[in-house]
């Protein structure tokens, strides 16, 4: 069974085609600058040459037509015909309170995703564009929506409510949702497999550290707390997002900079590692500047590792301990110094890192704590696309 996984951004589209027998990726790619001059497609076959295609692509429907053409083309294809694609799995950013699990897409699901646009104004319309484009290009092929928010829906009210009047939750569903749920679910599940213990018996802290970052407390396989909020801004300091700030700071920016739209841009696009260092949002640039003694780059990294440490300790407190801490995503999988410095000082809660195992480890699954560490520390490369493909398979098989 072949499953296509789509992750549509406002001007981009990432895809992977899986052969679910063996869960192998057959082809993957990225379409950039959709609706902007200078569109570009990079199509990568696991066995075969890569293809680059340049030329303007006006919308997601056109982008998907091109992708489907590449997947079946004589020189670029990996399947004989579009009939080989059994189902399509879509990453959908916001499912609100309605979806704690993935679902088959029908008109009521589309209506619910539309209702959540006010909570994810950049992402949900793009995700919907992908769904509509697939319905047009592959009529009759089932679509499955896999929500970034779903895994976090098990948080108890004391974790997801803000201390503002309750009526805003009742009326407008103002609350913490948090994101990257598919990654936290995949990584916590894999951590339990690595430990060889049932996830129901484990307390796991998952640290998804990338351009966007979040941590989650996973108790017995259920998320009980997570660091992003109603938006993707809160939590630890990120590439360009501020992470937690006093709400008075946000209000001050609204007044000082002339409106909510500008303040939102500052908190989303000009803050974080970029805002503090004044150099870059990319940790690699910050780490090299810090190594050369750039003080603001050092400060940015120190703010990052301090905020990760605080979340780890607070999640251990919430769960009454931790059996494992798992690092994932671009920074979590690749930066040995961020892992080391985030954990420094957590010996009091049973965390002992083995620096020989940690140092130089990039993008590979491994346990990096010392053998006598009460808390196992791991690096687990995330695989959100595979998780989406698995859910899509499960739901479409159930229906068949
Ligand atoms: P996104 O949230 O866009 O998916 P990623 O998970 O790809 O982001 O993470 C991107 C971040 O990972 C960037 O800050 C990048 O600098 C960092 N990163 C990637 N490789 C390395 C590396 N070798 N060392 C340090 N940081 C890295």
């Amino acid at each position: 069974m072949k499953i296509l996984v789509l992750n549509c951004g406002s001007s981009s589209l990432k895809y992977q085609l899986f052969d679910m027998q063996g869960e192998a990726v057959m082809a993957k790619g990225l379409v950039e600058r959709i609706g902007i001059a200078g569109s570009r497609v990079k199509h990568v076959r696991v066995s075969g040459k890569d293809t680059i295609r340049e030329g303007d692509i006006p919308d997601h429907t056109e982008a998907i037509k091109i992708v489907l053409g590449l997947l079946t083309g004589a020189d670029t294809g990996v399947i004989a015909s579009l009939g080989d694609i059994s189902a399509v799995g879509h990453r959908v950013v916001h499912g609100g309170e309605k979806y704690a699990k993935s679902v088959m897409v029908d008109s009521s699901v589309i209506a619910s995703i539309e209702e959540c646009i006010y909570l994810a104004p950049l992402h949900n319309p793009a995700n919907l564009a992908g769904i509509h484009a697939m319905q047009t290009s592959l009529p009759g092929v089932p679509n499955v929506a896999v929500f970034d928010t779903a895994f976090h829906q098990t948080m108890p009210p004391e974790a997801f409510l803000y201390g503002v009047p309750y009526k805003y939750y009742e009326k407008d569903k103002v609350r913490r949702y948090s994101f990257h749920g598919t990654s936290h679910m995949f990584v916590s599940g894999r951590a339990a497999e690595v430990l060889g213990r049932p996830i129901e018996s484990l307390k796991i802290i998952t640290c998804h550290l990338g351009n966007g970052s979040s941590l989650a407390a996973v108790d017995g396989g259920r998320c009980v707390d997570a660091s992003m909020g109603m938006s993707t801004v809160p939590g630890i300091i990120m590439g360009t997002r501020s992470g937690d700030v006093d709400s008075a700071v946000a209000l001050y920016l609204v007044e000082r900079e002339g409106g909510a739209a500008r303040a939102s841009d500052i908190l989303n696009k000009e803050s974080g590692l970029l805002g503090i260092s004044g150099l870059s949002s990319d940790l690699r640039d910050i780490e090299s500047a810090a190594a050369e003694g750039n003080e603001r780059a050092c400060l940015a990294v120190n703010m990052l590792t301090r905020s990760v440490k605080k979340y780890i300790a607070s999640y251990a407190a919430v769960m009454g301990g931790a059996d494992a801490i798992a690092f994932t995503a671009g920074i979590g999988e690749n930066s040995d110094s961020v892992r080391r410095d985030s954990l420094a000082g957590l010996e009091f809660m049973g965390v002992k890192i083995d620096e020989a195992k940690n140092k130089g480890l990039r993008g590979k699954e491994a346990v990096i704590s010392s053998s006598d560490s009460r808390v196992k520390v791991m690096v687990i490369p995330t695989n959100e696309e595979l998780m989406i493909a698995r859910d899509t398979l499960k739901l479409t098989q159930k229906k068949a």
Side-chain angles (χ1 to χ4, degrees):
M1 190 163 175
K2 315 283 189 296
I3 287 181
L4 180 62
V5 172
L6 280 194
N7 179 355
C8 289
S10 50
S11 66
S12 70
L13 183 166
K14 288 187 205 144
Y15 62 94
Q16 288 197 16
L17 182 71
F18 284 88
D19 181 349
M20 293 311 282
Q21 221 169 6
E23 296 187 330
V25 176
M26 304 173 77
K28 62 182 176 180
L30 169 67
V31 187
E32 289 173 293
R33 300 180 67 85
I34 299 170
I36 308 170
S39 317
R40 183 176 188 270
V41 186
K42 182 168 185 194
H43 174 72
V44 178
R45 282 185 293 171
V46 168
S47 37
K49 276 208 315 252
D50 298 353
T51 309
I52 306 281
R53 181 194 174 285
E54 279 166 354
D56 291 355
I57 302 174
D59 54 31
H60 285 81
T61 306
E62 197 53 37
I64 279 169
K65 274 192 199 143
I66 291 167
V67 169
L68 295 176
L70 287 165
L71 289 171
T72 49
D75 301 328
T76 57
V78 288
I79 47 175
S81 78
L82 293 179
D84 289 350
I85 299 176
S86 307
V88 183
H90 298 260
R91 175 189 182 210
V92 178
V93 165
H94 221 303
E97 280 198 324
K98 192 156 180 189
Y99 298 111
K101 287 202 160 64
S102 305
V103 284
M104 295 279 282
V105 173
D106 59 19
S107 53
S108 77
V109 171
I110 289 180
S112 303
I113 298 172
E114 280 168 356
E115 276 165 27
C116 291
I117 286 178
Y118 81 101
L119 293 166
L122 296 179
H123 292 100
N124 273 25
N127 304 150
L128 281 167
I131 291 173
H132 290 310
M134 267 307 160
Q135 287 177 326
T136 310
S137 297
L138 292 182
V141 172
N143 290 286
V144 167
V146 179
F147 300 96
D148 258 31
T149 46
F151 183 60
H152 303 305
Q153 278 297 306
T154 48
M155 281 190 283
E158 56 271 31
F160 73 66
L161 283 175
Y162 296 118
V164 298
Y166 196 76
K167 65 178 179 191
Y168 295 108
Y169 169 58
E170 288 180 308
K171 270 176 44 196
D172 302 323
K173 296 283 174 250
V174 169
R175 50 160 287 178
R176 179 193 304 281
Y177 292 95
S178 208
F179 303 87
H180 299 132
T182 312
S183 177
H184 289 290
M185 188 175 175
F186 177 84
V187 170
S188 54
R190 184 67 202 139
E193 284 172 11
V194 171
L195 289 175
R197 288 172 57 188
I199 195 163
E200 292 73 20
S201 70
L202 291 168
K203 299 176 192 303
I204 302 172
I205 299 167
T206 44
C207 313
H208 178 112
L209 312 181
N211 271 320
S213 303
S214 62
L215 282 84
V218 184
D219 196 349
R222 291 161 65 83
C223 175
V224 294
D225 214 334
S227 66
M228 280 181 165
M230 179 156 129
S231 78
T232 54
V233 171
I236 66 164
I237 183 170
M238 305 177 215
T240 60
R241 289 172 242 170
S242 63
D244 296 329
V245 291
D246 178 346
S247 50
V249 174
L251 295 173
Y252 167 79
L253 290 175
V254 170
E255 290 218 335
R256 170 89 164 73
E257 300 293 340
R262 180 71 196 116
S264 168
D265 267 1
I266 294 170
L267 293 169
N268 275 287
K269 300 180 186 159
E270 297 172 21
S271 297
L273 299 178
L274 172 66
I276 294 296
S277 70
L279 291 172
S280 168
S281 62
D282 192 299
L283 185 76
R284 283 165 292 199
D285 299 337
I286 309 271
E287 284 185 336
S288 13
E292 285 163 14
N294 182 302
E295 279 182 22
R296 296 244 305 269
C298 292
L299 175 62
V301 177
N302 290 343
M303 287 173 73
L304 168 64
T305 55
R306 185 183 168 92
S307 61
V308 174
K309 190 194 318 255
K310 280 171 78 169
Y311 268 100
I312 289 176
S314 68
Y315 287 168
V318 160
M319 294 193 287
D323 298 295
I325 299 169
F327 286 92
T328 196
I331 295 174
E333 291 168 29
N334 292 300
S335 175
D336 49 12
S337 57
V338 166
R339 293 189 299 253
R340 182 196 63 213
D341 295 347
S342 299
L343 298 175
L346 294 181
E347 293 80 7
F348 76 91
M349 55 170 265
V351 177
K352 253 167 102 178
I353 197 165
D354 181 337
E355 202 28 42
K357 291 181 188 155
N358 178 49
K359 199 164 175 53
L361 183 77
R362 291 195 205 298
K364 280 208 202 88
E365 185 176 287
V367 174
I368 56 166
S369 44
S370 60
S371 50
D372 61 342
S373 179
R374 207 164 65 239
V375 182
K376 294 285 172 255
V377 182
M378 310 171 188
V379 173
I380 301 203
T382 194
N383 197 338
E384 289 155 291
E385 292 78 11
L386 176 58
M387 200 76 210
I388 294 172
R390 283 179 183 165
D391 268 11
T392 304
L393 179 70
K394 221 182 331 174
L395 282 167
T396 44
Q397 277 183 337
K398 213 192 273 175
K399 190 161 181 256

